[in-house]
Amino acid sequence: MSKLPLIIKREYLAKVRNKSFVIMTFLSPILMVGMIVLIAYLTELNDNEKRIIAVLNESDYFSNEFLTSETTSFVKYKDISLEEAKDSTMNMGYYGLVYIPNEDNLQKVAQRSFFYSKESPSTTVLEKLERIFKERLRQERLREFGISARDYAEMDSKYELNISTFDGEHNLKGLNEIKAIIGGGFGYLIMMFIIIYGGFVMRSVIEEKTSRIIEVIISSVKPFQLMLGKIIGTSLAGITQFAIWIVSGGILLFVAMAIFDIEPSTLTDSSVSAGIGNGANPILSSADTTMQLYAQEIFDIPWAMLLFFFMVYFVLGYLIYSSIYAAIGAAVDNETDTQQFIFPIILPLMLAIYVGFFSVFSNPHGPIAVGFSLFPLTSPIVMLMRLPGGIGEGGVPIWQLVSSILILIATFIGIVWLAAKIYRVGILMYGKKPSYKELLKWLKY
């Protein structure tokens, strides 16, 4: 194994000195932040479009219900016919026309009202108009039943059950889902890294094989050493790139917070820590206070621990899958022939993302979530979805975390051993498109 460090160094330097690697390493965070800012700006620009809607009300049941808002303005027509109102709306370029006919009761008025527009109207606009009619119908029915609007509002007021841990700490609705999404983001990064850098390993093997350079290399290096060197060297290049992304992303975040004058302290407030833990029984009716509680919970996520285990699971998951990629690269003569083998590799990763979200969202400690977080081909993603909840009491049990890592290490050793068998035979085999049956034969050599 004395030549293994040389192979690792060669593969690592070959990747990090590549121009496209250097450009994307420093350009990707800028592009990502720029894309987020652009999407936010375009969304705000789209939402700021103000629609003007004409209203022709011939009934006595609507008076001040159509109120102008930030996104919608209402222009009221009087003493004109419906056809004249339509012509005026089109000529003025208004978004649409609400026509409310004159009927003997509100039910008939609502049933025979129309919204006219040049093209299919926005769902948001329709929902806003429908709410106006629903509210007016509700008020009329309450009046008929002799119930005041105030009494009904009290009966229909929203109720949320106060929730707390047994230790008296705040609990928030939907917190498991938020943490699962955060962990899922890390898991998705692992999946993308595995696919991207695993593909690098596979293409590197194919390139050396088709150019016949491999025949010269393995005359002085064992195939197992060469395969392992490629895997570890590319893995170190990926870790380097990710570390640079973290540092540059942190700097960009700091700059953005400075430009927009965002203080981290404004997201949390000392008052939110008071309450249940101090023997009080607070009723969190303020939306701002609730948002502060959610922000506090997100800040309380053990980010250092999460980043550490992200690196652990990234390295172990990558080593497993890149071994398979290297074996596939050695078995084929060109990248086109790899398509029949790629899908079975990606399938567990996709399964981990989708099943992980559904299982961890509903029950992060359920049998499905636990099973997939222990299964080595899905654990790098599913376990990361569970880790934002912490380790130990209330979070992922320590034995599950340790078992998951040990299983990954054992799986890596086993898969590398099997992949080396395919690599040793396939690296010098040309002109033959292997099948799954053929690969199984190679494992017996």
Side-chain angles (χ1 to χ4, degrees):
M1 301 293 284
S2 60
K3 297 179 181 179
L4 181 60
L6 295 176
I7 301 172
I8 294 173
K9 181 180 178 181
R10 172 184 173 272
E11 291 296 326
Y12 176 79
L13 294 178
K15 293 291 181 299
V16 298
R17 287 176 177 175
N18 188 281
K19 286 184 179 181
S20 61
F21 180 91
V22 174
I23 292 173
M24 292 310 299
T25 297
F26 293 97
L27 193 61
S28 293
I30 299 174
L31 292 175
M32 186 63 67
V33 173
M35 183 178 66
I36 294 173
V37 172
L38 179 62
I39 291 173
Y41 171 74
L42 294 176
T43 301
E44 182 180 357
L45 190 66
N46 185 64
D47 292 340
N48 285 338
E49 179 189 358
K50 196 157 189 175
R51 298 182 176 94
I52 302 176
I53 297 175
V55 179
L56 177 59
N57 180 19
E58 297 178 348
S59 74
D60 299 326
Y61 291 99
F62 292 87
S63 55
N64 299 319
E65 285 78 8
F66 296 92
L67 301 176
T68 297
S69 65
E70 294 181 357
T71 57
T72 309
S73 294
F74 292 98
V75 176
K76 297 179 181 179
Y77 289 150
K78 290 183 179 180
D79 302 327
I80 61 174
S81 66
L82 176 58
E83 293 302 321
E84 291 174 334
K86 288 181 181 179
D87 292 338
S88 176
T89 301
M90 287 189 292
N91 292 334
M92 295 298 294
Y94 294 158
Y95 186 78
L97 168 67
V98 177
Y99 172 62
I100 305 174
N102 184 22
E103 300 290 343
D104 55 4
N105 64 68
L106 181 59
Q107 188 69 31
K108 289 183 179 180
V109 170
Q111 289 176 351
R112 298 179 183 179
S113 295
F114 275 88
F115 178 72
Y116 298 96
S117 60
K118 186 176 181 181
E119 55 189 23
S120 180
S122 166
T123 303
T124 305
V125 173
L126 283 180
E127 288 178 350
K128 183 173 183 178
L129 295 175
E130 287 169 354
R131 281 197 301 269
I132 293 175
F133 282 90
K134 287 179 181 178
E135 178 64 22
R136 187 66 186 87
L137 286 167
R138 184 182 66 84
Q139 292 176 0
E140 184 67 15
R141 288 166 183 164
L142 289 175
R143 186 189 64 78
E144 293 174 356
F145 293 139
I147 302 173
S148 67
R150 181 177 179 181
D151 291 339
Y152 182 83
E154 291 180 358
M155 292 187 296
D156 195 44
S157 60
K158 187 177 180 181
Y159 172 78
E160 290 187 2
L161 184 65
N162 295 319
I163 54 178
S164 168
T165 65
F166 286 112
D167 296 329
E169 296 179 359
H170 285 295
N171 252 339
L172 293 172
K173 184 169 63 176
L175 193 58
N176 285 339
E177 287 80 356
I178 294 174
K179 291 181 178 179
I181 290 173
I182 293 172
F186 282 102
Y188 185 78
L189 281 177
I190 286 182
M191 183 184 75
M192 295 307 299
F193 268 96
I194 287 174
I195 293 174
I196 293 171
Y197 289 101
F200 284 167
V201 172
M202 183 180 67
R203 283 189 289 273
S204 176
V205 173
I206 294 174
E207 182 181 349
E208 290 180 353
K209 179 180 177 180
T210 53
S211 63
R212 302 299 177 98
I213 297 176
I214 197 69
E215 297 177 3
V216 178
I217 295 176
I218 64 172
S219 63
S220 57
V221 178
K222 293 181 180 180
F224 177 78
Q225 291 180 330
L226 181 60
M227 185 189 75
L228 198 60
K230 283 182 175 294
I231 293 170
I232 297 176
T234 308
S235 176
L236 292 175
I239 293 172
T240 301
Q241 189 173 57
F242 181 74
I244 294 173
W245 284 354
I246 290 178
V247 174
S248 58
I251 294 173
L252 288 173
L253 179 62
F254 177 80
V255 171
M257 292 176 68
I259 292 175
F260 295 103
D261 195 24
I262 300 174
E263 294 290 339
S265 59
T266 59
L267 297 177
T268 60
D269 190 87
S270 59
S271 62
V272 302
S273 61
I276 297 176
N278 295 327
N281 184 22
I283 299 176
L284 303 177
S285 58
S286 169
D288 292 338
T289 304
T290 303
M291 290 304 297
Q292 287 176 350
L293 285 171
Y294 278 106
Q296 180 66 55
E297 289 288 347
I298 292 174
F299 273 102
D300 288 342
I301 289 175
W303 292 103
M305 176 273 293
L306 196 59
L307 287 173
F308 171 76
F309 282 107
F310 169 81
M311 298 304 297
V312 171
Y313 279 100
F314 161 67
V315 171
L316 292 175
Y318 169 77
L319 290 175
I320 290 174
Y321 279 94
S322 59
S323 302
I324 303 174
Y325 272 106
I328 293 174
V332 300
D333 290 339
N334 55 73
E335 197 167 343
T336 304
D337 295 338
T338 64
Q339 300 307 312
Q340 61 174 323
F341 302 110
I342 292 298
F343 182 72
I345 300 177
I346 299 177
L347 186 61
L349 297 173
M350 297 173 59
L351 189 65
I353 288 290
Y354 291 109
V355 175
F357 268 119
F358 284 113
S359 61
V360 176
F361 265 40
S362 58
N363 187 4
H365 305 297
I368 301 299
V370 173
F372 275 84
S373 63
L374 294 176
F375 182 61
L377 297 182
T378 58
S379 61
I381 295 174
V382 180
M383 183 59 81
L384 279 176
M385 292 184 182
R386 300 177 62 204
L387 281 177
I391 301 174
E393 186 177 356
V396 177
I398 296 177
W399 73 266
Q400 292 182 10
L401 182 62
V402 174
S403 299
S404 174
I405 293 174
L406 292 178
I407 292 172
L408 274 174
I409 294 173
T411 303
F412 164 64
I413 295 173
I415 288 184
V416 165
W417 180 72
L418 293 174
K421 287 179 171 288
I422 297 176
Y423 191 92
R424 182 183 59 193
V425 177
I427 200 68
L428 294 175
M429 189 167 290
Y430 303 96
K432 185 176 182 180
K433 187 176 181 180
S435 62
Y436 285 103
K437 185 178 181 180
E438 190 75 18
L439 294 180
L440 290 175
K441 288 183 180 179
W442 293 356
L443 292 175
K444 298 176 183 179
Y445 293 161

